[in-house]
Every structure is written in C-alpha cells, then in structure tokens.
Amino acid sequence: MMGYDFHLGSSGPKLIEVNTNAGGLWLACLCENINALTFPDRLGRILLNSFINEFALFSKNADARPACIVYSRRAPGKHSFFNPEMQVFRENFFRQAGIDAFIASPEMLTDKNSGLYIEGKRIDMIYNRHCDFYLQTDCDAGCA
C-alpha cells in the first residue's frame, strides 16, 4: 500500500512525500459497500497481521502483540479528510481485536522514562501525523 503526496505549484505537481501507509483504504472499501462498518474479513485480517508482525519484529519477540496504539495529530478530528477512516480503525478494527486505540493530540501524551503514555497506558505504536513540512513549528511549544 503506497501513497504519493503531491503539492501543486506554479511549475506543476511536485512529489513531496512517499507513504507506505496510504490513507483512503476505508474510502475504497466504501466504494464496494457504502454501508460497511468495518473492513472486509480477508482485508481486515491482512491489515491486523501487518500491525502485529511489525510490532513483533520491532520487539524482537515473535509472540509480542501491541496493546495500545495511538494516532496523533494536532487538533484531531478537525480539518482531516481521513478522520472518518481513523475512527473506523480505532473503533471497528483495533478495539475489536483487543487493542486499545486512541486518536489524540500530542499534548494528550505523557513522556516517561519507560516510553509514551496516554490515560496511564503505555503506548506501543504511534502514528504521528504532526507534520511540519516547512519547519515552522517551535518545538518548545509542543512539537511531536
């Protein structure tokens, strides 16, 4: 699943980012079934296994499984085309698989010596969408 982000400029489109976590998969699923509440079974299993396998590889423990995943961005839910998709991942995908999932701003996260936490739970995986392509954010003001 690859995604390519382009910005349009005076000289035409310019590639600014290559993603391996392409957004829009949920929209593609809705094209097949507009009333869907979750991913089709086979696709859901493949996606869930990809998260579990990545975590196991990172942990260097074949039996490891993430317990808490966070999607983080400034002002979650506002101005995000993919917010409905993130809601589906949280409610109808991760939580149904027994994985706590949160959509949170960076300010909601707590930094401790042993890692990042949200609501007292240690975060195993984070999808950080706080993007500052132009490097204009003052990191002392809470840059994630």
Side-chain angles (χ1 to χ4, degrees):
M1 292 191 344
M2 297 292 292
Y4 303 93
D5 291 352
F6 291 88
H7 281 190
L8 296 177
S10 58
S11 62
K14 182 177 180 181
L15 178 66
I16 63 155
E17 183 179 13
V18 176
N19 293 302
T20 58
N21 55 349
L25 182 61
W26 178 242
L27 293 176
C29 288
L30 289 178
C31 288
E32 178 69 25
N33 177 2
I34 194 68
N35 297 312
L37 298 176
T38 191
F39 292 99
D41 289 340
R42 182 172 178 265
L43 177 59
R45 283 191 308 275
I46 291 169
L47 284 173
L48 185 60
N49 285 337
S50 73
F51 280 92
I52 292 170
N53 291 339
E54 279 298 314
F55 187 72
L57 287 169
F58 173 78
S59 301
K60 296 182 173 116
N61 175 354
D63 297 323
R65 181 181 168 101
C68 181
I69 294 176
V70 172
Y71 167 73
S72 180
R73 66 171 291 134
R74 292 249 178 253
K78 293 183 179 181
H79 314 296
S80 175
F81 180 77
F82 294 114
N83 189 54
E85 183 172 50
M86 295 301 108
Q87 297 285 341
V88 167
F89 267 100
R90 181 185 69 187
E91 294 298 327
N92 301 340
F93 184 70
F94 290 122
R95 288 187 175 168
Q96 283 185 4
I99 300 170
D100 281 331
F102 297 87
I103 299 172
S105 67
E107 295 80 17
M108 295 171 70
L109 309 180
T110 305
D111 181 18
K112 297 182 182 180
N113 287 339
S114 60
L116 285 176
Y117 287 76
I118 187 165
E119 296 182 6
K121 297 176 182 184
R122 188 173 192 285
I123 299 170
D124 294 312
M125 298 177 88
I126 187 165
Y127 176 31
N128 182 14
R129 285 297 301 159
H130 175 62
C131 299
D132 183 3
F133 294 113
Y134 300 105
L135 303 176
Q136 296 174 343
T137 301
D138 177 7
C139 284
D140 291 335
C143 181

